[in-house]
Amino acid sequence: MTIQPTLNHDLLPTWDLSDLYPSMTCPELKNDFSTLEQKVGDFSALHKGKLATLTAPEMLDVIKKYEVMEETMGRIMSYAGLLHAGDVMDADISKFYQSCHERLTELSTKVLFLTLEINQIDDKILEHWFQDSADLKRYRPWFDSVRLYRPHQLDEKLEELLMEKSVSGSAAWVRLFDETMADLKFDYTDPKTQETTIIGSEEALNYLSDKQAPVRKAAAACLSKTFAKNIRLFSHITNTLAKDKQIEDSWRHYTAPSASRHLSNQVEKEVVDALVSAVKAAYPKLSHRYYKMKAGWFGQDTLDWWDRNAPLPDSDDLLYQWPDAQKTVLDAYRRFSPELADIGTKFFDNAWIDAPVREGKSPGAFAHPTVPGAHPYLLLNYLGKTRDVMTLAHELGHGVHQVLAGPQGQLLADTPLTLAETASVFGEMLTFQSLLNDAPDDRQRKNMIAAKVEDMLNTVVRQIAFYDFEERVHAARKESELSADDLGDIWMAVQQESLGDGIAFDDSYRTFWCYIPHFIHSPFYVYAYAFGDCLVNSLYATYQNSPDGFQQKYMDMLRAGGSLRHKELLSPFGLDASAPDFWATGLNMISDMIDQLE
């Protein structure tokens, strides 16, 4: 493997979105919009108000027509969304993205009656339908998901109003957040030369894991300064979205701000509460213990907050060129399952990945499933560090999962968030174990285990702390609008509780809640990461103890997509997330790694 001191950016791939549409003005897109508008009009005229009177074959025909329309809408919005993510600041792309969003919302409103009427149909009628048609019964998980919302459904006109208003309401605030964050500039002062350069958020955040302590401190200073300048806007966005959610939740009679997320994840509140309680109870033996130990490795009693992700003092400053990262991940996948690696290879061979950091590009990383008739795309901001290799392994896991689930179709391919993180985190674990096995000596093994522990703490402890932050913010927002100081107080409280006295905080960290996109895009999403990590730890332990037949069970779980629930999917492995001791198994794996380091 060739590991060089500087990253060769020419080797980084960019995606080709022409598998969705050739361009924003192409005839194919115009034709899809025209056909879709005709189908929506015909569908509404033919079926609205009549669903309860249909036979099973007639209802099957309705569902298949609806699925076709949903896939076309998904293809258009996926194309617009991926274009926008590639360059958030391009005015023409932003205009195109917003226009597509508005047109598709208008069309979705016209077919909204389908799910509303399904929720008004008597259970006996549905059972007769499923008995009369095996093909319709295949869609039962989708019907069940729709009917979960029966207690929270409003009358048709209100539902239509909320959907139409979302374009100028919550979606508009989310777009403002994205465009503001992508446009932020940070004045970074080089600690050696004292020269100041303007950098983007990805580069600034990357410096927080630089090997040189002065670089990390300078990065923290420039991030804090720019966040503080913009904190009133981010506070206003947060307050507005929290209030918007509170109003809608009240109308829908949700018992808690997180209740709708649990419903969409198809996971019981008791299971999430058990996870959160288990992680919080484990803070002392996990994050508190580890960061005190890490501070000791640096010869200190505590670490400044900007040193939390610092490489260990004797770590190598390695950079993985893109071909090396690709080989590392695919080899790890192949050792587990050749099929898994073969699917993963398609992403590299077919321009399905956008890897370079560039101005205007969305920060972070994601895997977008698009639609079953196409294929997923991955967005990365690759900088060549070990964590970037792990991010590639993570997002490729999502992508492979989405490919395997695709044959389930538009309505059944999507996996609830709690299980959607399984393949991604499992991919990380495979890659980590592969790198660990290839480590040449104990020093590198120690550094790699420490890096993995930190990844797990970021995935489990940090994400549960984020969830705790959201719960406190939404609870406080019910009482009054929150100032930037109020939000900073809540942020600092949960950070100190979760990370312990091994980390020293000062006021410069008070604004760092503002750049977490999940708080804005998907309220209460974050516990899915902890769910997935603990679940994968239990899965991997099962794999190590009983490898025979595990690969096939695992691949079958991924292929199921959203056609099965978490209890059904985990049953073949002898796992049950609702069992009282389930989460302890996953958390003990992290604790055992810390024991090794101690």
Side-chain angles (χ1 to χ4, degrees):
M1 177 178 292
T2 304
I3 302 176
Q4 300 171 359
T6 58
L7 186 66
N8 186 342
H9 295 275
D10 293 337
L11 298 176
L12 298 177
T14 55
W15 57 28
D16 177 2
L17 301 181
S18 62
D19 288 347
L20 296 172
Y21 293 101
S23 73
M24 293 186 288
T25 58
C26 67
E28 294 90 339
L29 181 59
K30 293 178 181 178
N31 182 64
D32 274 359
F33 260 123
S34 178
T35 304
L36 188 57
E37 287 169 354
Q38 181 66 47
K39 285 182 176 179
V40 165
D42 292 345
F43 185 83
S44 179
L46 192 59
H47 301 300
K48 189 172 184 179
K50 303 171 185 176
L51 296 187
T53 66
L54 300 181
T55 64
E58 289 169 338
M59 190 62 197
L60 177 62
D61 179 62
V62 168
I63 295 300
K64 286 185 173 180
K65 287 192 289 187
Y66 177 74
E67 188 167 34
V68 169
M69 292 186 295
E70 283 288 299
E71 174 143 358
T72 303
M73 291 186 198
R75 178 182 285 267
I76 295 171
M77 205 60 226
S78 294
Y79 177 66
L82 291 171
L83 270 181
H84 191 241
D87 191 348
V88 175
M89 300 315 298
D90 185 287
D92 291 335
I93 291 176
S94 292
K95 179 181 176 181
F96 172 75
Y97 172 78
Q98 184 66 16
S99 297
C100 288
H101 188 191
E102 290 177 5
R103 290 181 70 181
L104 291 175
T105 299
E106 183 180 347
L107 291 170
S108 296
T109 303
K110 293 179 180 178
V111 297
L112 182 62
F113 74 88
L114 176 72
T115 53
L116 300 180
E117 288 188 30
I118 284 173
N119 280 345
Q120 294 168 356
I121 293 173
D122 189 271
D123 290 342
K124 292 179 181 179
I125 294 176
L126 260 69
E127 290 302 325
H128 284 307
W129 281 347
F130 296 144
Q131 290 172 14
D132 291 347
S133 172
D135 289 337
L136 183 62
K137 188 176 181 179
R138 192 181 81 81
Y139 289 95
R140 181 167 196 155
W142 178 79
F143 278 90
D144 290 342
S145 298
V146 169
R147 287 168 75 81
L148 285 173
Y149 293 90
R150 291 174 78 184
H152 310 289
Q153 183 172 296
L154 305 175
D155 67 59
E156 185 175 340
K157 287 299 179 185
L158 271 177
E159 292 286 0
E160 290 178 357
L161 175 65
L162 286 173
M163 179 173 282
E164 288 194 18
K165 285 285 288 179
S166 68
V167 172
S168 58
S170 57
W173 290 102
V174 171
R175 179 184 167 192
L176 176 61
F177 170 85
D178 288 343
E179 294 187 359
T180 303
M181 186 57 67
D183 198 37
L184 287 185
K185 299 294 183 286
F186 301 85
D187 296 330
Y188 173 75
T189 301
D190 188 297
K192 287 185 178 179
T193 66
Q194 294 302 306
E195 292 181 359
T196 298
T197 55
I198 299 174
I199 60 176
S201 61
E202 282 293 337
E203 191 174 359
L205 291 166
N206 182 57
Y207 281 155
L208 287 178
S209 58
D210 192 271
K211 195 161 187 179
Q212 302 299 318
V215 172
R216 298 193 297 270
K217 186 174 182 180
C222 78
L223 283 161
S224 179
K225 183 178 179 181
T226 298
F227 288 160
K229 284 182 180 178
N230 293 273
I231 201 64
R232 285 187 65 186
L233 175 59
F234 288 125
S235 298
H236 186 55
I237 293 171
T238 299
N239 272 286
T240 303
L241 287 171
K243 187 63 179 180
D244 182 79
K245 182 172 182 10
Q246 178 195 335
I247 293 169
E248 185 166 336
D249 282 355
S250 175
W251 277 81
R252 294 190 183 281
H253 304 293
Y254 284 117
T255 56
S258 58
S260 59
R261 176 63 61 194
H262 303 332
L263 210 58
S264 67
N265 283 345
Q266 297 158 18
V267 62
E268 300 80 5
K269 180 180 183 297
E270 294 73 23
V271 172
V272 178
D273 288 346
L275 165 65
V276 173
S277 296
V279 174
K280 285 186 173 183
Y283 283 170
K285 73 173 185 178
L286 299 180
S287 48
H288 294 189
R289 179 164 63 122
Y290 175 78
Y291 289 121
K292 285 293 286 185
M293 185 166 61
K294 184 174 182 178
W297 294 335
F298 280 81
Q300 301 168 196
D301 292 330
T302 59
L303 291 172
D304 289 315
W305 65 261
W306 52 81
D307 291 332
R308 184 175 60 83
N309 289 323
L312 299 192
D314 61 348
S315 65
D316 297 316
D317 195 12
L318 303 180
L319 279 182
Y320 290 79
Q321 301 300 331
W322 181 257
D324 298 325
Q326 174 181 337
K327 185 177 186 305
T328 298
V329 174
L330 290 179
D331 285 355
Y333 276 39
R334 192 170 300 283
R335 289 190 189 104
F336 174 74
S337 164
E339 183 184 6
L340 206 66
D342 289 344
I343 296 171
T345 301
K346 294 179 180 179
F347 285 80
F348 299 93
D349 291 347
N350 294 285
W352 297 356
I353 305 176
D354 193 279
V357 177
R358 60 176 176 268
E359 188 172 356
K361 182 178 176 181
S362 288
F366 64 72
H368 193 304
T370 73
V371 291
H375 55 77
Y377 284 94
L378 311 185
L379 179 142
L380 307 171
N381 280 277
Y382 188 82
L383 293 164
K385 295 193 175 182
T386 303
R387 74 163 187 269
D388 295 306
V389 179
M390 301 304 288
T391 299
L392 172 60
H394 181 102
E395 300 305 339
L396 189 65
H398 277 307
V400 170
H401 189 179
Q402 291 156 359
V403 169
L404 286 167
Q408 294 287 348
Q410 179 70 17
L411 298 184
L412 292 173
D414 196 28
T415 307
L417 292 179
T418 42
L419 289 170
E421 292 299 332
T422 304
S424 55
V425 179
F426 198 83
E428 281 190 72
M429 180 64 80
L430 292 174
T431 303
F432 165 71
Q433 293 293 346
S434 178
L435 288 170
L436 191 64
N437 291 335
D438 294 340
D441 53 48
D442 285 344
R443 179 185 63 83
Q444 282 206 13
R445 285 177 61 82
K446 173 194 170 184
N447 289 334
M448 291 178 65
I449 292 171
K452 182 59 177 173
V453 166
E454 293 191 20
D455 283 344
M456 292 170 128
L457 293 179
N458 284 333
T459 304
V460 177
V461 170
R462 291 276 286 167
Q463 301 303 327
I464 292 303
F466 288 172
Y467 179 75
D468 189 14
F469 172 78
E470 286 188 278
E471 289 213 303
R472 297 189 195 191
V473 166
H474 283 262
R477 184 64 182 91
K478 287 184 177 181
E479 303 303 321
S480 67
E481 180 165 293
L482 303 176
S483 67
D485 281 342
D486 294 332
L487 291 162
D489 288 343
I490 298 171
W491 174 252
M492 295 297 280
V494 298
Q495 294 304 303
Q496 289 164 342
E497 288 170 18
S498 62
L499 299 180
D501 57 7
I503 303 292
F505 296 99
D506 62 22
D507 285 348
S508 65
Y509 194 58
R510 289 178 61 84
T511 58
F512 272 65
W513 57 268
C514 76
Y515 83 95
I516 309 297
H518 298 87
F519 298 158
I520 304 300
H521 291 176
S522 309
F524 301 100
Y525 177 107
V526 287
Y527 73 77
Y529 289 113
F531 194 110
D533 198 283
C534 290
L535 172 56
V536 164
N537 288 346
S538 296
L539 268 178
Y540 199 82
T542 302
Y543 171 49
Q544 289 179 308
N545 295 331
S546 306
D548 292 344
F550 181 92
Q551 287 92 334
Q552 189 58 49
K553 292 177 187 176
Y554 178 77
M555 299 299 281
D556 289 343
M557 178 178 71
L558 300 190
R559 286 190 180 92
S563 67
L564 297 174
R565 303 295 172 255
H566 67 85
K567 286 191 176 183
E568 299 166 303
L569 289 168
L570 296 178
S571 178
F573 303 96
L575 300 175
D576 180 2
S578 64
D581 61 346
F582 176 81
W583 302 113
T585 303
L587 295 172
N588 285 341
M589 179 177 280
I590 308 175
S591 183
D592 290 345
M593 286 186 175
I594 298 174
D595 289 342
Q596 290 182 55
L597 293 170
E598 262 183 338

